[in-house]
Amino acid sequence: MSISDATHLEERPRWVLDGVELRSVVNARYLAAVAAFFGTYYGAAKFGLELDVAHGVITPVWAPSGISLAVLFLFGLRYWPAVALGAFAANATSGLSVALAAGVSVGNTLAALAGALALRRLALRPSLARIQDVLAFTGAALGSTLISATSGTSLLYATDHIQSYGSNWVLWWFGDSAGNLLVAPLILVLIAGRHVRPTRRQALEGAVLLSGLGALGAVVFFAGEWRYPYVLFPFLIWAPLRLRQPGAACASFLVGALATLGAAHGDVPIGASATEGVQILQALICVVAISMLIVGATLAEREATNQALAYAQELTHIGSWEWDIRTNRVCWSDELFRIYGFEPRSTKIDYGFFLERVHPDDRDRIDAQIRAAYESRAPFDFEHRIVLPDGRERLLQAHGRVEVDESDTPVRMLGTGQDITQQRDVDRLRDGILATVSHELRTPLTSVLGFAVTLKERRGTLSDETAAELVDHIAVEGERLNSLLGDLLDLDRHRRGATAPTRKRADLADIARRIAERYTSRGRDIAVDAEPLVATVDAALVERIVENLLANAVKHTPNGTPVAVSVRASGGDVLIVVDDGGPGVPAPLRRSIFEIFDRGGKDPSTTAGTGIGLSIVAQFAAVHGGRAWVEEAPGGGASFRVLLPGCVDRPA
């Protein structure tokens, strides 16, 4: 059961788990959380009220406002009773009547609820990692406390507990606002980042920073060196620069606490009274705290933008570069390093290094184009090859522009480099598909149309023998078209992951004999070497494997060349072999010949076939967990082999 609001439990059905009512368990957890929140709120409230700078129940030090704002926002508005009870108890034990304490607690509770609700409506991210989050938090923190200050001051003024309304209202509002600005960010940021484990270096750096800041703060605010607060600034700048929002929140809270205690105990003689001194110091530190959060958010946003840019570059294989012409210093993005085959920032880059990576046949052309862009101040766009450290070649598309100074002197070039090797391979593959498929479709279609038109126009004058021959031709060419379309559909299904095998027991020797007989009926003898062999396979896919292997052998060998198919068990595996006595496959092509539309370098306009069949063989072998390869046949020629592992059932 999912329970999102404990205040609605009474409307939900009773659930029992191991004999215990789940509702009771949730109620117990909720009450325990309320009690813990109440205790924290009450303790912080009594601390602020018992300081010498407090004016009765009005104090410039009111951490409970920040605690309640953060807790209600993070954990839910349903914890408002803890705020109400904590405020009531703190005020009732500090000299106010029960009725007046209850009235003051209403204002405190409404302020916390209003602030938390505003933060939720503004879709605040607790990490405060965006400038808009810092500004939204600041507005809610300052605005919500208007409720508690106005409500509480009005009640005290109406009951003659205070004589001056304006100064006490400002003191109340200031104390609540300072609590929000110094305490709430610490809770929000630490809770938001509780699942992010800092590195050892970050933990050590944070410990050094806070220790140094605490030591200097003690000297400034307790050892009489209050005239030199600027010694704290390097640490306060260090915090957001290096540790972002966690550093900013922790550092501002620490300095705020030390400054408040120092002023409250009279160690910082600022202002006409200790209360005024606390107000002045807290006002300054709140401004510093907001500034630190804005700095941290700015850096975090820039970091997030750089990460998003790096991710986008990685996805699109686009790297960026910048060349400072005056210093000959070149900066590459991480992805550009990877495109060129180097680890990011692993080597120093300059223009000479770039030219050395360009393919020797393209180097002079690229250098001339860049120099021409330098002279003309015009943007440039060109393709060029590069050579990776391992000797492989890649094709890049480069874009760039020239920046000039006031005297029209080029000072900088910047641009991008995109690895378009795969894109060009796809383009070539597409062109090959169009050329191959159009050629293979046109030939049988032309034959079918020609024979069909002949039958239509000359049916009455043709002999039965001639008509039957034409029909046979149409059937053969139709089968050829059907086979081609079937291959294309098989490739599409494999691309979409829809060719998972449906395994059943089948006699593979029978499959081989049936397919070989088709070629025998067409005048091409196929020798079959296969004893009955039952295996658990997808029979339809195995048929396509044998059919495509035989079609390939027949297609690429002259009529009369011996072709043989064998199916045999090898342990628990099945080995399908098709041998032919043709010219064989050169060693350099034996791997690529199984790639889609690879025709061994043959021109599709002069050689039949699409280059699909062997690719299907390899793919259908792979979906069975096997593989396909070719080697030289024992008596010369090609020996195509397919291994289907672990599928032998038992001899038939």
Side-chain angles (χ1 to χ4, degrees):
M1 179 178 68
S2 174
I3 298 177
S4 59
D5 195 337
T7 61
H8 294 160
L9 283 173
E10 62 275 9
E11 302 173 5
R12 300 175 185 268
R14 295 158 66 93
W15 294 78
V16 177
L17 183 64
D18 294 334
V20 180
E21 289 187 14
L22 185 58
R23 184 174 67 177
S24 299
V25 174
V26 176
N27 272 333
R29 291 179 179 175
Y30 170 70
L31 292 175
V34 169
F37 182 16
F38 162 78
T40 304
Y41 188 101
Y42 177 78
K46 292 301 291 183
F47 173 80
L49 292 174
E50 291 177 1
L51 290 174
D52 293 338
V53 294
H55 292 180
V57 294
I58 304 177
T59 175
V61 182
W62 192 248
S65 61
I67 296 172
S68 59
L69 176 63
V71 170
L72 294 185
F73 170 69
L74 289 172
F75 301 107
L77 304 181
R78 63 184 179 276
Y79 289 102
W80 67 267
V83 180
L85 292 173
F88 171 76
N91 286 288
T93 56
S94 299
L96 292 185
S97 65
V98 172
L100 193 54
V104 170
S105 70
V106 170
N108 289 342
T109 305
L110 290 177
L113 286 170
L117 185 60
L119 294 180
R120 291 191 170 201
R121 292 288 176 85
L122 293 169
L124 182 88
R125 295 182 183 176
S127 61
L128 300 178
R130 302 178 301 176
I131 295 177
Q132 68 185 69
D133 291 328
V134 177
L135 297 179
F137 168 77
T138 303
L142 297 177
S144 62
T145 52
L146 296 173
I147 298 174
S148 55
T150 302
S151 173
T153 306
S154 298
L155 285 173
L156 295 179
Y157 186 77
T159 55
D160 294 326
H161 281 74
I162 57 174
Q163 303 302 316
S164 172
Y165 186 92
S167 60
N168 282 286
W169 183 94
V170 170
L171 183 62
W172 192 311
W173 175 79
F174 177 83
D176 285 7
S177 297
N180 279 345
L181 293 175
L182 294 178
V183 177
L186 180 66
I187 299 173
L188 292 174
V189 170
L190 293 183
I191 293 295
R194 65 189 183 278
H195 299 303
V196 179
R197 197 183 200 95
T199 64
R200 181 176 297 181
R201 183 197 60 77
Q202 289 174 328
L204 179 61
E205 186 174 1
V208 171
L209 187 152
L210 293 179
S211 298
L213 188 60
L216 281 177
V219 171
V220 171
F221 298 116
F222 295 101
E225 302 299 332
W226 58 271
R227 296 178 181 83
Y228 308 104
Y230 47 79
V231 299
L232 302 174
F233 290 172
F235 286 87
L236 294 176
I237 295 172
W238 177 9
L241 283 180
R242 296 288 298 168
L243 302 176
R244 303 296 185 264
Q245 302 304 60
C250 290
S252 60
F253 175 79
L254 177 59
V255 172
L258 293 174
T260 299
L261 292 175
H265 288 89
D267 297 313
V268 183
I270 297 178
S273 65
T275 300
E276 186 175 331
V278 169
Q279 287 182 281
I280 293 172
L281 281 177
Q282 283 197 342
L284 292 173
I285 293 170
C286 284
V287 171
V288 171
I290 295 171
S291 301
M292 290 168 64
L293 289 173
I294 289 177
V295 170
T298 302
L299 295 174
E301 284 188 339
R302 188 181 70 177
E303 196 173 70
T305 300
N306 289 338
Q307 289 176 350
L309 177 60
Y311 182 60
Q313 289 189 354
E314 184 178 352
L315 286 179
T316 57
H317 298 293
I318 297 178
S320 56
W321 55 268
E322 179 180 334
W323 177 24
D324 188 325
I325 298 174
R326 290 171 296 191
T327 62
N328 194 31
R329 183 173 179 271
V330 180
C331 294
W332 282 3
S333 68
D334 289 353
E335 182 60 20
L336 197 58
F337 272 101
R338 284 189 284 266
I339 289 173
Y340 276 78
F342 295 92
E343 288 296 320
R345 295 181 292 277
S346 61
T347 185
K348 183 179 179 181
I349 308 297
D350 57 25
Y351 183 63
F353 178 86
F354 158 72
L355 280 182
E356 289 177 3
R357 307 271 76 77
V358 176
H359 192 283
D361 294 343
D362 296 346
R363 191 172 297 155
D364 291 341
R365 173 176 62 86
I366 298 308
D367 184 42
Q369 287 185 271
I370 293 176
R371 293 183 183 279
Y374 176 90
E375 296 296 335
S376 64
R377 282 61 164 168
F380 54 87
D381 181 358
F382 52 76
E383 291 183 5
H384 64 289
R385 292 168 293 172
I386 63 171
V387 181
L388 303 187
D390 60 8
R392 289 180 298 138
E393 295 181 10
R394 307 295 290 178
L395 182 65
L396 267 61
Q397 177 76 46
H399 300 273
R401 60 185 174 87
V402 182
E403 292 189 350
V404 299
D405 59 14
E406 297 81 359
S407 62
D408 197 39
T409 300
V411 294
R412 189 171 64 146
M413 285 188 180
L414 63 160
T416 60
Q418 181 179 13
D419 186 345
I420 59 172
T421 308
Q422 187 174 6
Q423 178 183 333
R424 287 293 179 266
D425 289 343
V426 171
D427 290 341
R428 285 191 291 269
L429 177 61
R430 181 195 60 204
D431 294 340
I433 292 173
L434 292 175
T436 301
V437 173
S438 62
H439 172 75
E440 289 298 311
L441 285 174
R442 186 183 299 113
T443 302
L445 274 176
T446 301
S447 298
V448 169
L449 288 174
F451 294 139
V453 169
T454 301
L455 283 174
K456 178 181 178 181
E457 295 179 350
R458 300 177 54 192
R459 180 181 303 173
T461 62
L462 295 175
S463 64
D464 292 342
E465 182 180 352
T466 302
E469 186 179 346
L470 291 176
V471 170
D472 287 341
H473 282 301
I474 291 175
V476 169
E477 297 300 333
E479 288 181 6
R480 183 176 169 187
L481 281 173
N482 183 64
S483 177
L484 173 60
L485 292 175
D487 286 346
L488 292 173
L489 290 174
D490 284 339
L491 286 174
D492 182 65
R493 282 193 293 268
H494 183 77
R495 180 184 60 82
R496 292 183 287 107
T499 52
T502 303
R503 295 176 180 264
K504 294 182 180 179
R505 296 176 70 247
D507 186 349
L508 303 190
D510 181 63
I511 290 175
R513 278 192 294 269
R514 284 191 287 105
I515 296 174
E517 288 173 359
R518 299 177 191 172
Y519 290 92
T520 302
S521 64
R522 301 171 191 169
R524 189 69 184 264
D525 290 333
I526 306 294
V528 179
D529 177 14
E531 295 296 328
L533 175 61
V534 175
T536 303
V537 296
D538 188 316
L541 299 187
V542 174
E543 284 189 21
R544 297 302 305 280
I545 289 174
V546 177
E547 181 180 5
N548 281 311
L549 287 178
L550 288 177
N552 178 75
V554 170
K555 189 182 303 176
H556 295 289
T557 59
N559 195 17
T561 303
V563 175
V565 57
S566 69
V567 179
R568 58 180 178 270
S570 177
D573 305 336
V574 169
L575 183 64
I576 302 172
V577 180
V578 172
D579 292 330
D580 65 62
V585 179
L589 301 178
R590 289 177 185 172
R591 182 185 298 271
S592 64
I593 200 171
F594 288 97
E595 296 177 2
I596 183 173
F597 292 104
D598 188 286
R599 296 164 51 83
K602 296 177 181 178
D603 186 351
S605 64
T606 61
T607 306
T610 61
I612 298 176
L614 292 180
S615 175
I616 290 176
V617 168
Q619 291 174 10
F620 286 178
V623 299
H624 279 86
R627 64 188 183 96
W629 73 99
V630 61
E631 56 189 50
E632 186 176 356
S639 179
F640 285 87
R641 299 171 176 241
V642 172
L643 181 70
L644 306 179
C647 60
V648 173
D649 192 348
R650 61 180 176 81

